[in-house]
Amino acid sequence: MSERIFSGVQPTGNLHLGNYLGAIRNWVKLQNDYDCLFCVVDLHAITVWQDPAMLRTSTREVAAAMIAAGVDPEKHIIFNQSQVPGHAELAWIFNCVARMGWLGRMTQFKEKAGKDKENASVGLFAYPNLMAADILLYKGTHVPVGEDQKQHLELARDIAQKFNNDYGVDLFPVPEPLILGTATRVMSLKDGSKKMSKSDPSDLSRINMTDDADTIQRKIKKAKTDPDHLPESVQGLDGRPEARNLLGIYAALADVSIESAVNEFAGQQFSALKDRLSDVAVANLAPMQDAYRRLLNDKGQIDAYLAHGAERARAIAGPVLREVQDVVGFLHVGKS
Ligand code: TRP
């Protein structure tokens, strides 16, 4: 059976280095080995309130970032979820396959709903069923996942198996996680123990996709450090979150292992690392940022890419959905 990757990314505005090194860059690598669908999940986004104009802008931004980073929109399929109705249709069927108890155990729901569960949207509770539908609508076999999405993928596997069992078919593959050794968890430049985030009030805490060279240099210069020299070994990074973060970012951008990054700066001052990191960051990010800005200035072009991707996605999804409907017993004209 052929291998197909499905991956989704939320349309959050203000993309930064964490989004790039943590997700987008890995997709660029995967596209050589798999047929890929990369989906901007706008249906997932509205499980919490989204301003409509911002949602549209963010959808374009994420698509532009993927393309600017090097995902090929002709070889692979880039689209936004709402343009393929099959996601919502299959999700409904999965709402009837998944059990309340399964969803009640999802840690992301508990975190996002917070104390006021009564006031969370029904969609937020059913979120993982939609995610299962995303993957299985294309009979996806592999899903690149970070730590935070492992539990959701587990649920997608359970849904695939229960559906196959309940109906006595072998329709859905049980999708496998693809754990990426290369994914880098990028932390705040102001606090090495917090994830780099678009919602951090301090803009100095992150490197945005739209920062120019001067801004990148300034932010790296001002990044938090600790008073010691850089360690001689990877173990020496324990308890030193800022050193770990800056060396980790350097290693990722320079495409070297963390060991070799540690060796390169062993015993040196932070300033030596920061100088090198600035150069590497600017050299790596500048071409991508140019492409990103150019694309964002041409909304028609992005929208055309997304429409083309959606058309190809629908062509794969249609027959799968028809197969599912037949198995479930939905009647349609021409069915015996
Ligand atoms: N839930 C994922 C996240 O927040 C996004 C997502 C939606 C996804 N559908 C998916 C990821 C399907 C992988 C496969 O990051």
Side-chain angles (χ1 to χ4, degrees):
M1 190 169 140
S2 71
E3 304 200 319
R4 177 177 284 151
I5 284 203
F6 186 98
S7 192
V9 64
Q10 294 252 10
T12 52
N14 249 345
L15 288 170
H16 54 68
L17 189 65
N19 303 119
Y20 175 59
L21 292 179
I24 297 173
R25 193 178 71 143
N26 299 301
W27 296 2
V28 178
K29 296 187 176 173
L30 289 171
Q31 63 177 341
N32 300 321
D33 301 324
Y34 296 89
D35 285 330
C36 305
L37 291 119
F38 296 125
C39 181
V40 186
V41 293
D42 46 11
L43 299 180
H44 278 108
I46 64 160
T47 56
V48 296
W49 170 252
Q50 301 292 331
D51 172 78
M54 293 254 287
L55 179 59
R56 242 183 314 271
T57 302
S58 302
T59 300
R60 289 194 178 110
E61 283 182 4
V62 171
M66 287 194 259
I67 296 167
V71 177
D72 184 338
E74 294 299 332
K75 264 175 82 185
H76 301 280
I77 297 178
I78 297 181
F79 69 109
N80 57 314
Q81 196 181 20
S82 59
Q83 291 201 69
V84 183
H87 290 258
E89 294 177 50
L90 187 57
W92 178 260
I93 295 173
F94 288 170
N95 285 343
C96 305
V97 173
R99 307 288 94 183
M100 291 291 285
W102 298 3
L103 292 169
R105 284 191 283 278
M106 294 292 114
T107 54
Q108 184 171 294
F109 174 74
K110 291 184 205 166
E111 277 166 25
K112 284 199 179 175
K115 286 200 181 68
D116 196 5
K117 279 206 185 55
E118 291 291 307
N119 202 31
S121 73
V122 175
L124 189 66
F125 189 69
Y127 179 116
N129 295 343
L130 177 60
M131 180 162 156
D134 294 343
I135 301 161
L136 296 171
L137 184 59
Y138 306 95
K139 299 193 178 180
T141 56
H142 292 79
V143 183
V145 280
E147 268 312 310
D148 65 328
Q149 295 299 315
K150 268 192 192 159
Q151 196 187 29
H152 285 164
L153 185 62
E154 239 351 277
L155 190 100
R157 292 168 55 85
D158 290 343
I159 289 177
Q161 273 162 335
K162 182 162 162 55
F163 182 96
N164 287 348
N165 262 323
D166 287 354
Y167 291 101
V169 292
D170 189 19
L171 201 162
F172 291 120
V174 180
E176 299 283 341
L178 211 64
I179 309 288
L180 297 165
T182 52
T184 306
R185 214 170 128 78
V186 180
M187 313 305 278
S188 159
L189 297 181
K190 286 284 151 198
D191 177 351
S193 63
K194 278 198 334 214
K195 242 174 116 167
M196 185 175 283
S197 158
K198 63 156 187 160
S199 49
D200 192 312
S202 167
D203 194 54
L204 287 175
S205 70
R206 63 185 159 261
I207 293 174
N208 300 307
M209 283 286 285
T210 46
D211 286 344
D212 59 20
D214 284 351
T215 310
I216 294 175
Q217 272 155 354
R218 188 167 49 85
K219 286 181 174 175
I220 292 175
K221 205 171 215 140
K222 293 200 168 167
K224 187 173 173 203
T225 58
D226 64 43
D228 288 336
H229 288 192
L230 290 161
E232 312 265 346
S233 69
V234 175
Q235 290 85 321
L237 292 173
D238 290 349
R240 300 185 63 188
E242 281 77 28
R244 181 186 296 280
N245 189 33
L246 292 176
L247 280 164
I249 295 173
Y250 172 73
L253 287 171
D255 217 359
V256 299
S257 67
I258 187 75
E259 288 80 9
S260 96
V262 168
N263 286 338
E264 190 177 339
F265 297 100
Q268 298 191 45
Q269 306 213 329
F270 270 94
S271 57
L273 167 60
K274 283 183 166 185
D275 287 346
R276 267 298 281 147
L277 176 57
S278 281
D279 292 346
V280 173
V282 170
N284 255 271
L285 300 178
M288 189 170 70
Q289 290 172 317
D290 286 347
Y292 179 63
R293 273 190 292 259
R294 248 181 292 122
L295 268 167
L296 283 182
N297 281 328
D298 190 354
K299 291 193 186 120
Q301 179 67 65
I302 303 177
D303 297 1
Y305 279 135
L306 289 173
H308 175 60
E311 191 181 317
R312 292 161 68 203
R314 284 192 298 265
I316 303 173
V320 177
L321 196 61
R322 179 45 61 95
E323 204 184 339
V324 172
Q325 290 166 337
D326 283 346
V327 162
V328 171
F330 292 162
L331 181 66
H332 56 85
V333 174
K335 183 69 198 165
S336 55

